[in-house]
Amino acid sequence: MERYIGMDVHAGSCTLAVISEKGRKLKDFPVETNGQALVEAIRMIPGHKHLVMEEGLQSAWLYETLNPHVDELVVAGITTSRGPKSDKRDAYGLAEKLRVGNLDKHVFKAPRQFTRLRELSRAHMTLVGDVVRAQARIKSIYRSRGVLVTGVDVYSSRRRNEWLKQLPSTSQLRATRLYDHLDFLLEQKKRAEADLLREGKKHPIVKILESAPGFGPIRAARLVPIVITPHRFRTKRQFWSYCGLGIVTRSSSDWVQTAEGAWIKSRVPQTRGLSRQHNHFLKSIFKGAATTVVTQRNKDPIHARYERILDGGTKPSLAKLSLARMIAATVLRMWKNEEEYDPGRAGLLANTRKG
């Protein structure tokens, strides 16, 4: 006896809807968003239980809490809904999609793996973003008063008084408070980075991946808790799509009929772009690694491949994208084989492609 359960999750309550294997609606009821209450509600449902919920802020906690009590638990990607909407309708809709296998996107969850490293990585990324925002606010004060500001010298504590003197007295107090806020954030970021590096050293795979082109201990420590395991991806193209580096081609009105009545593919303009459903943090990591290779790793064989792409007439932005894809493929292979980066192997591949 199979039971498909859709759960619409909110901060205060969850709505559960149960349907049979033939699609008949059996019951629906609200439950407090509380671990013990949800477990008891799930246990009261007889048969083999298949539970589905949408990805959200609480999905990792709910997955960890409810997974031992069901036969299958699926976290679905959020999709836009049109027409009438309610918690009950959404829950039944999720259950029906799970029953017929019509869920658009499954979200991978492994909350018990790399837990501490994941939390420290999130803290570090949050503080990095806060520092950038604080710096932007400081620059905006100077620009609003017609003071030309470039580079990072304006944030330095040594020349801070010289910069403040260029502002009217009415703006100096505000700028001083923002400088104090920036100093606090920089200290917190420094501590978060130390915590992240300390935790990263406890995982051998982080040590391996930091040898990848354009990588280091910070990027490796941020990558691992996001991907969890490389075996989620059978090919590098699947990994590229997940990282936002997969190329998507779009076309329409592809077929035309000849005078003889046969159908042939027409030469229609094709729009090319990158996959939009992706992990934005991973895309940032690999594009940052590509920037590092371009600006700092001139002796790396993978940089020579980048130079050849440029020499072939490719735009620098597209060449950089190709470089990011190379690095992502290299990291995936290193992780699967648990081997450090071998520049000689990269050079061999480059010479093979050149020939």
Side-chain angles (χ1 to χ4, degrees), residues 170-187:
T170 53
S171 301
Q172 288 182 8
L173 181 59
R174 177 187 170 203
T176 301
R177 294 292 176 265
L178 288 177
Y179 274 125
D180 293 341
H181 183 219
L182 176 62
D183 292 339
F184 171 77
L185 289 175
L186 288 173
E187 178 61 28

Side-chain angles (χ1 to χ4, degrees), residues 265-289:
K265 270 200 168 185
S266 62
R267 293 185 177 181
V268 296
Q270 292 186 340
T271 303
R272 301 183 69 192
L274 299 179
S275 52
R276 296 183 180 180
Q277 292 187 346
H278 62 277
N279 189 296
H280 297 272
F281 295 117
L282 284 182
K283 187 173 184 178
S284 172
I285 288 173
F286 285 113
K287 292 195 75 172

Side-chain angles (χ1 to χ4, degrees), residues 84-146:
K85 185 182 186 307
S86 67
D87 294 351
K88 174 181 173 180
R89 192 185 298 270
D90 291 345
Y92 273 122
L94 284 171
E96 178 63 18
K97 286 183 178 181
L98 179 62
R99 185 184 73 87
V100 300
N102 195 31
L103 291 171
D104 296 328
K105 179 181 176 183
H106 290 229
V107 180
F108 179 82
K109 291 290 179 183
R112 294 185 180 274
Q113 298 184 43
F114 302 109
T115 305
R116 182 174 175 80
L117 186 62
R118 182 184 302 110
E119 293 301 322
L120 292 175
S121 175
R122 287 173 177 171
H124 179 260
M125 287 189 289
T126 299
L127 287 168
V128 168
D130 289 344
V131 167
V132 172
R133 278 188 285 272
Q135 291 174 335
R137 292 189 186 107
I138 291 173
K139 275 191 175 180
S140 68
I141 293 179
Y142 289 99
R143 288 173 177 168
S144 69
R145 303 304 304 179

Side-chain angles (χ1 to χ4, degrees), residues 3 15 31 38 77 132 148 153 190 197 208 247 267 295 298:
R3 292 292 181 261
T15 301
V31 182
L38 286 167
V132 172
L148 180 62
D153 185 61
K190 183 178 179 181
L197 292 174
I208 291 174
I247 296 176
R267 293 185 177 181
T295 57
N298 294 333

Side-chain angles (χ1 to χ4, degrees), residues 28 36 38 53-54 81 100 105 126-127 134-135 139 151 188 191 201 209 232-233 242 246 256 298 313 339 343 348:
D28 57 86
Q36 183 177 354
L38 286 167
M53 59 184 170
E54 285 188 333
S81 60
V100 300
K105 179 181 176 183
T126 299
L127 287 168
Q135 291 174 335
K139 275 191 175 180
Q188 293 300 311
R191 294 182 181 180
K201 291 179 180 179
L209 295 183
R232 296 166 53 191
F233 309 98
Y242 184 60
V256 295
N298 294 333
E339 61 181 15
L348 178 62

